[in-house]
Amino acid sequence: MNLPFLLLAISSAVLCGAQAQQDVSVCTKANAQSCGECIQVSEACGWCSDEKFLSVGEPKSARCDELKRLKDRKCDETKIENPRGRVVTNKNTPVTVRKKDEIVKLKPEQITQIQPQKLTLDLRTGEPQTFELKFKRAEDYPIDLYYLMDLSFSMKDDLENVKNLGTDLMKEMKKITSDFRIGFGSFVEKTVMPYISTTPAKLINPCSGNQNCTSPFSYKNVLKLTKEGDDFNRLVSQQQISGNLDSPEGGFDAIMQVAVCEEQIGWRNVTRLLVFSTDAGFHFAGDGKLGGIVLPNDGKCHLENNMYTMSHYYDYPSIAHLVQKLSDHNIQTIFAVTEDFQPVYKELKNLIPKSAVGTLSSNSSNVIQLIIDAYNSLSSEVILENTKLPEGVSLSYKSICKNSVVGTGEDGRKCSNISIGDEVHFQISVESQKCPSPLKSETITIRPLGFNEEVEVVLNFICECACAAEGLPNSPDCNQGSGTLECGSCKCNDGRIGQFCECSKDDVSTADMDANCRKDNGTDICSSNGECICGTCICKKRENVAEVYSGQFCECDNFNCDRSNNKLCGGHGRCECRKCICNDNYTGSACDCSLDTLPCVARNGQICNGRGVCECGACKCTDAKFQGPTCELCPTCPGVCAEHKDCVQCLAFKTGEKKETCEQDCKNFKLIEVPEREKLPQPTEPELAICKERDENDCWFYFTFSIKGDTKEVHVLKTLECPAGPNIIPIVVGVVAGIVMIGLALLLIWKLLMIIHDRREFAKFEKEKMNAIWDTGENPIYKSAVTTVVNPKYEGK
């Protein structure tokens, strides 16, 4: 095989595969062997459970196809298995509508802010299920606030202002909620070197000079959450400043204990706020190695007598660990820090969802306003989060927020600028890409960050058809009990194969069975395109899954048909068993011949202008001199006017070359005489030609030519336009006068040239005369009469 032919063959195979790819559905490509496998391919796939659906030689996988294709292949609609997913609402308590001044106060667990609360989703692979969540901020919702304060020496002034914080903050928070509780805790640093000085004196009083400070500690829970603001003031007033050596503080240890020690802190299932007040940075995971502490923080509560006892044993928690615990316990954090450390804590805020940063004055005098502003900022935003998804399951969010603002992608998880009483909606779409193994239900939760309420979503996976439950084990239709008759086909027992489980795996190559796989008693088994199993040809798969062998003996395929314009079956049909099945209005071995005659119709309504026949949607001109899409062009023809000039001349004026044979040569002409030139038809139609021709006497005649069916219609001006004879006398007089005038003109020109020449010569003479210079030297023939003699001896004396 030469190289060009090889390249052509490869190109044809590639293009054939591309066309076949379009003809084969994704359901067929999957080669599904059961209804369960079929419905997991795509939500568009269905399974025909009709036992008589398959023809001879078709594999079980042919039962899996697109729904429309199954109907086209005459599968009864009642026998098509196509289970669909659904959403079932199990608990749907309406959101709470309450007022702050109501006499009867609801308990926190009686308040509902998100609806519905429990859903069950039946998921089919590739088919998303969408449901809607409603969120509404309830008025007068309870709040727990825990104030965690840095008691290192630099916070001495701040402690004085915080001592009256309890009652003052209680008054302000009463404007927001009637159910408010406040607690207090403090922290310094791990009680090991190099964070603090471990000398005995410094362990008693770590401050220098005359300052009276308390012993250093890691974290202390001073006041459990309470409704009594006076208790807060009293206990905080008893606190003393402590000290440490390095600048960063051990605040992360304290935050972790506040988050996980719910019972000791007294957290309720309400809005939880943690105010973290400091004027320094923080230590985090890894910094404990400086003090010889290498064990990672375990994230558990270690409070004894309200003191953190394991600071010397466990390292600081990492930021990620802290984020997880704060999120798990629905705690919203407010970082009240001095201006110098604003950049550090703003970066930390970006890592901790539902957190805020406020600028703390140098003496904490603005702490109440800071807390109020931060709370309003946090509570005005709703952010949804979900627990870990099962493998293959994905969620997408769409938010419909205040003023109908729509968010998608990551913005679809949240709504901002929400006031009390505002209602927002979220559309959540859940999609499964595969069935879990082992098959079981999964449960995920979706909740707004910082709130204790959540939505429970139970996921059930549709991985089997309903007909599978009705399967008949050891069915007699499956070779006398060799398999289970399930969804119209046999699911063979171990060791059995075949469409009806009729063969054992040990008997697949006997000569008798091979004989049933040879077409017309030929030598090729399954036409060399398949394998003979149990006397039935199982066609082999090609590398390109779109190319399929079929037929009882695998003698057919869908990629070896004639091509046109590099397209299988010209792009106007489908390839079945190596023959093109053309679409309507096309014919030919490659479906390249169109039966539509519309492209052949000329402007005058004739097929090919009457000069050819329409074949495959194109004109084939009978006369070789004509060409063009409708045989309208004739490059060698003299033109319409010149071609019909003689017939018009002989019919209208009885002159011209055809005046003797006019009736015979011009019998298809219809002559209409017109008295005036203005009354000739105007060229309003494209096929109408206006002609002006000259006869042998140099007379002009005018006519129009058009074709009406088989008749050539001619409108001719009945009068000729002949030129008049010349007038001799004016011509002679004109010639003589012209000669005389030319002579006079030449004479005048000669005279003018002579005058100009003479004037130039005279001027030249005058110029030479003015420039003449006369010689003033002596006359060479003159001699003087006086002779002078000089004696040379007296020369010079």
Side-chain angles (χ1 to χ4, degrees), residues 395-429:
L395 260 69
S396 62
Y397 291 84
K398 178 182 178 182
S399 60
I400 300 94
C401 303
K402 193 174 180 179
N403 299 323
S404 300
V405 176
V406 177
T408 56
E410 284 302 312
D411 291 336
R413 290 176 173 264
K414 61 185 178 181
C415 283
S416 302
N417 300 321
I418 301 172
S419 302
I420 293 175
D422 287 343
E423 186 173 285
V424 295
H425 298 264
F426 296 90
Q427 291 180 358
I428 304 175
S429 182

Side-chain angles (χ1 to χ4, degrees), residues 365-412:
S365 59
N366 69 330
V367 68
I368 293 179
Q369 190 59 45
L370 184 153
I371 292 172
I372 298 296
D373 293 342
Y375 169 74
N376 290 332
S377 173
L378 290 173
S379 60
S380 66
E381 184 176 48
V382 176
I383 303 175
L384 295 185
E385 70 166 2
N386 53 267
T387 54
K388 184 178 179 181
L389 299 174
E391 186 179 359
V393 175
S394 61
L395 260 69
S396 62
Y397 291 84
K398 178 182 178 182
S399 60
I400 300 94
C401 303
K402 193 174 180 179
N403 299 323
S404 300
V405 176
V406 177
T408 56
E410 284 302 312
D411 291 336

Side-chain angles (χ1 to χ4, degrees), residues 510-539:
T510 62
D512 291 339
M513 291 181 180
D514 288 348
N516 294 328
C517 297
R518 295 189 178 97
K519 184 180 180 181
D520 300 329
N521 293 324
T523 58
D524 292 335
I525 295 178
C526 299
S527 305
S528 299
N529 295 323
E531 182 181 1
C532 185
I533 298 178
C534 301
T536 301
C537 285
I538 304 300
C539 302

Side-chain angles (χ1 to χ4, degrees), residues 165-344:
L165 177 65
T167 54
D168 294 341
L169 183 59
M170 190 74 69
K171 292 177 183 179
E172 292 297 326
M173 294 303 290
K174 287 291 185 181
K175 300 176 183 179
I176 299 175
T177 176
S178 61
D179 188 359
F180 176 72
R181 299 199 311 173
I182 189 170
F184 184 82
S186 58
F187 66 91
V188 180
E189 187 55 274
K190 288 183 180 296
T191 55
V192 295
M193 283 289 290
Y195 312 110
I196 66 168
S197 175
T198 57
T199 60
K202 290 293 184 182
L203 286 176
I204 298 174
N205 182 8
C207 301
S208 59
N210 297 323
Q211 299 293 336
N212 187 20
C213 297
T214 188
S215 300
F217 57 91
S218 177
Y219 162 67
K220 176 168 56 176
N221 178 29
V222 178
L223 175 65
K224 188 176 181 180
L225 289 165
T226 179
K227 292 183 178 181
E228 303 299 329
D230 292 337
D231 290 346
F232 183 95
N233 295 346
R234 178 175 53 82
L235 289 174
V236 173
S237 298
Q238 298 173 3
Q239 302 304 305
Q240 286 183 290
I241 294 297
S242 185
N244 61 314
L245 295 179
D246 61 343
S247 177
E249 314 293 0
F252 275 16
D253 271 343
I255 293 176
M256 176 62 75
Q257 293 303 301
V258 171
V260 299
C261 298
E262 289 195 357
E263 184 178 350
Q264 290 88 337
I265 302 298
W267 290 118
R268 297 177 296 170
N269 284 330
V270 296
T271 299
R272 299 176 175 181
L273 299 178
L274 170 61
V275 180
F276 182 83
S277 176
T278 185
D279 63 349
F282 49 82
H283 284 295
F284 54 90
D287 290 353
K289 291 181 179 179
L290 294 173
I293 303 172
V294 295
L295 284 179
N297 194 287
D298 64 350
K300 295 181 181 179
C301 182
H302 297 287
L303 289 184
E304 294 182 10
N305 296 323
N306 289 320
M307 296 291 291
Y308 179 39
T309 59
M310 302 297 287
S311 65
H312 63 287
Y313 191 75
Y314 289 115
D315 193 6
Y316 302 98
S318 66
I319 295 177
H321 196 186
L322 210 58
V323 168
Q324 177 192 349
K325 292 301 180 180
L326 290 172
S327 176
D328 290 344
H329 293 84
N330 300 317
I331 296 175
Q332 304 177 63
T333 309
I334 301 172
F335 295 104
V337 297
T338 55
E339 189 171 0
D340 293 341
F341 286 90
Q342 282 282 308
V344 175

